[in-house]
Amino acid sequence: MMDYLSKSIYEIHKALVNKEVTPLDLVKEALEKIKNDTNNAFEYIYEKEAIEIAKQLEKEEVEVDNPLWGIPFAIKDNFSTKGIPTTGSSKLLEGYIPTFDSEVYRRLLNKKAIPIAKTTLDELAMGGTGSSGHLGKTYNPWDESKTRMIGGSSCGSAAACASGIVPYAIGSDTGDSVRKPASYSALVGFKPTWGRISRYGLFTFAASLDTVAYFTRNVKDSALLLSVLAGHDIKDTTSSSLPIEEYKETKPYNVTIIKEIYDDLKDETIKKTFDKLIKDLKEKGYKINTMSIGFDIAKAIYSCYYIISSAESTSNNANLDGIKFGVNKEASTYEEMLFKVRTEGFSDRIRRRFVIGSISLLEENQEEIYLRALRCRRVIVDTFNKILESNDAIILPASPTIAPLFGDDVPKKSFAKDATVSDNYLAFANLGGYPSITLPLGFEKGMPFGVNLTSHHFTESKLLKMAQEVEDITGLKDLVKK
Ligand code: GLN
């Protein structure tokens, strides 16, 4: 079978320009691969629509300055797509068809990129296992036994990119939903600064943390997508108009490890591989520091994230009542309707979040729970702001393990006294709104694990440059598991 979609965006573009391949060939290749896919990564497949777009493009000239032209992509099913079902992988939204496009999707369509599939997620993007959506488990292509997760919540987008069905896939990251699955599937997962990319049309999970994020298989493709997706959008007042500056500086970088998170690592292979990378970076002239944030702060990251995100999601999702969207139930009062729709429409995990959110927002609890979490956020963000003022980036393994087995459920351990702070720390970048990127670092038992770099607000160019240097050192790019 033809295999262009396992290549990088730039390589596929070159093949299009050289007329080795056409958009229709690429669409057929993607559809064939989707047909043979066993990872349960898709909510909706653009069978007819993609062929139609491709046929239209066959009549046009390849746009040589537009590397996305004619190339298929996948997008998480929590982005509104006009006329195309959008479920958020929730039973409650089955049958919902948006009447407008999300801004990210619109920008890609404008570039004449070809949508090929809407991808699965943990229900409404709340989760990290890739198993809580209404279609069940999404599998990790790197694990033939299908016992290990790919992580979530952007599980389908990760699986589609990791298995070579598309060269890039859009996701969303509220706590780590792109950067963690990227670690488990040998991908580059990038979450730019909060506000860098318009969130118009992205289902809101927690507005103060939500970020459009995406998967590619190398850093250069990731930078390309940023240039297309970033920028002010009048429909999202939180979107920034700051330009992405070209980064030319060549001074050696100052990068820091966070002591408490590093010390918590137990996997020897991951530790050794990370140490080796640090050694290589030093040889390249990087100054590597180790800074301490204190165990209390390290431990507070996930609890604080969880309270704030649950509170915001409870409020943001109050519109899912069965009247405006989604499934409808017979009922004689509004309350009865709400009760039926939300009991049957949401899984246990979602209801758990809404209960936690509601409890923390109750008037009598607000001071003790929600407002305390906000003050805690302030302390965490002040701490990291200070670190990022004196360092170009923070560097750490993106996950303390390879992809866990299904059933090794994350939430059970997350709040324990001896919580593994190296497992859920990535949410600090959402609490602070920092740009943060995960890229492949190594393999253990045939399964990948990644490294994460996080930098100060709106310093994406510098971050991508460092990521590029890390990629050059590891040599791990364009990895596909078929
Ligand atoms: N896994 C985290 C959670 O369960 C993050 C989710 C996300 O980033 N959307 O909330």
Side-chain angles (χ1 to χ4, degrees):
M1 189 174 78
M2 195 172 74
D3 189 6
Y4 278 94
L5 295 168
S6 294
K7 298 176 188 290
S8 72
I9 299 176
Y10 282 102
E11 281 168 341
I12 303 170
H13 174 64
K14 206 164 127 202
L16 282 165
V17 172
N18 294 339
K19 307 225 181 306
E20 264 171 59
V21 71
T22 71
L24 190 58
D25 296 335
L26 295 177
V27 164
K28 286 186 180 157
E29 179 188 326
L31 291 175
E32 179 72 20
K33 284 180 169 173
I34 290 174
K35 212 174 76 197
N36 297 325
D37 180 63
T38 55
N39 295 315
N40 191 29
F42 305 106
E43 286 283 347
Y44 182 86
I45 299 155
Y46 288 67
E47 281 201 75
K48 283 202 207 97
E49 302 88 339
I51 291 199
E52 240 161 66
I53 301 173
K55 280 189 175 152
Q56 194 53 40
L57 291 182
E58 304 262 20
K59 297 181 201 147
E60 302 175 14
E61 271 304 305
V62 185
E63 293 175 9
V64 290
D65 300 331
N66 170 13
L68 299 184
W69 187 93
I71 300 180
F73 70 95
I75 184 164
K76 191 173 178 180
D77 205 29
N78 58 349
F79 285 87
S80 292
T81 46
K82 189 175 170 180
I84 302 290
T86 304
T87 66
S89 287
S90 179
K91 227 170 112 185
L92 193 139
L93 281 171
E94 276 169 15
Y96 168 58
I97 299 181
T99 54
F100 67 99
D101 283 334
S102 47
E103 176 65 10
V104 166
Y105 182 70
R106 195 190 65 80
R107 286 190 185 209
L108 292 172
L109 294 186
N110 276 355
K111 285 285 178 191
K112 301 190 177 165
I114 306 179
I116 201 79
K118 300 291 297 283
T119 57
T120 54
L121 54 146
D122 277 300
E123 186 173 358
L124 298 173
M126 298 178 209
T129 60
S131 64
S132 73
H134 66 162
L135 299 184
K137 291 175 185 163
T138 294
Y139 299 103
N140 189 328
W142 290 94
D143 170 38
E144 271 152 33
S145 71
K146 300 219 180 308
T147 52
R148 291 186 186 276
M149 55 180 79
I150 190 160
S153 64
S154 309
C155 48
S157 286
C161 191
S163 59
I165 294 174
V166 285
Y168 69 98
I170 307 296
S172 61
D173 188 311
T174 303
D176 58 16
S177 273
V178 160
R179 291 165 295 147
K180 196 81 167 288
S183 181
Y184 295 153
S185 60
L187 294 174
V188 175
F190 187 29
K191 173 197 103 65
T193 307
W194 185 86
R196 187 56 112 172
I197 301 179
S198 166
R199 289 173 296 142
Y200 178 74
L202 164 64
F203 290 3
T204 311
F205 164 4
S208 77
L209 307 160
D210 290 344
T211 329
V212 173
Y214 49 80
F215 301 97
T216 60
R217 292 188 294 257
N218 62 69
V219 174
K220 203 173 160 209
D221 284 354
S222 198
L224 164 69
L225 280 176
L226 184 68
S227 69
V228 171
L229 301 178
H232 181 65
D233 169 20
I234 198 163
K235 301 185 288 327
D236 175 358
T237 50
T238 65
S239 64
S240 164
S241 50
L242 272 186
I244 296 167
E245 269 151 34
E246 231 188 280
Y247 196 74
K248 296 201 189 78
E249 235 174 294
T250 51
K251 69 175 169 80
Y253 296 107
N254 236 344
V255 169
T256 192
I257 296 166
I258 303 294
K259 184 177 182 305
E260 289 74 12
I261 294 167
Y262 177 83
D263 285 353
D264 188 50
L265 294 171
K266 291 175 187 74
D267 186 308
E268 283 308 317
T269 308
I270 293 182
K271 227 173 160 161
K272 260 197 225 142
T273 318
F274 179 75
D275 291 345
K276 168 82 173 55
L277 172 66
I278 293 299
K279 192 167 151 269
D280 291 342
L281 285 170
K282 279 184 184 158
E283 269 164 29
K284 249 184 133 107
Y286 277 60
K287 182 162 182 294
I288 308 286
N289 310 306
T290 299
M291 295 183 96
S292 172
I293 55 172
F295 192 70
D296 284 348
I297 289 189
K299 216 179 71 158
I301 294 172
Y302 193 62
S303 320
C304 172
Y305 158 79
Y306 207 88
I307 293 296
I308 293 174
S309 64
S310 300
E312 289 187 26
S313 78
T314 303
S315 152
N316 289 326
N317 288 294
N319 60 349
L320 301 179
D321 58 4
I323 294 176
K324 299 175 212 71
F325 306 100
V327 289
N328 222 270
K329 295 270 175 245
E330 285 268 324
S332 48
T333 61
Y334 180 63
E335 280 73 21
E336 193 190 336
M337 165 86 92
L338 266 185
F339 185 80
K340 280 191 178 167
V341 166
R342 291 171 74 94
T343 303
E344 286 172 40
F346 293 137
S347 68
D348 290 356
R349 286 171 195 237
I350 296 294
R351 291 203 299 268
R352 179 177 187 263
R353 300 234 185 189
F354 291 159
V355 168
I356 294 174
S358 303
I359 289 176
S360 66
L361 287 173
L362 275 178
E363 205 181 342
E364 57 269 40
N365 294 339
Q366 257 191 38
E367 183 62 36
E368 186 56 26
I369 309 180
Y370 178 65
L371 295 176
R372 196 160 137 212
L374 290 189
R375 286 193 290 271
C376 175
R377 180 180 191 170
R378 183 73 267 155
V379 173
I380 293 170
V381 175
D382 282 348
T383 306
F384 280 102
N385 278 346
K386 220 179 258 160
I387 290 175
L388 290 172
E389 272 150 30
S390 55
N391 288 278
D392 294 298
I394 291 168
I395 190 166
L396 288 164
S399 59
T401 60
I402 55 170
L405 298 166
F406 284 111
D408 239 359
D409 214 334
V410 190
K412 274 183 213 147
K413 280 180 271 169
S414 309
F415 306 111
K417 279 220 169 65
D418 57 345
T420 45
V421 293
S422 53
D423 208 1
N424 286 306
Y425 78 93
L426 286 174
F428 89 84
N430 302 75
L431 291 170
Y434 312 119
S436 181
I437 191 165
T438 293
L439 55 158
L441 175 62
F443 285 85
E444 182 180 5
K445 300 185 200 145
M447 295 298 295
F449 55 86
V451 59
N452 180 270
L453 289 155
T454 299
S455 66
H456 219 325
H457 303 125
F458 297 106
T459 58
E460 281 88 350
S461 306
K462 183 166 73 176
L463 182 64
L464 287 162
K465 185 146 187 274
M466 287 183 274
Q468 183 63 62
E469 292 185 347
V470 169
E471 184 182 274
D472 291 345
I473 291 173
T474 63
L476 297 175
K477 62 170 186 169
D478 300 328
L479 300 172
V480 166
K481 181 70 184 174
K482 282 171 227 165

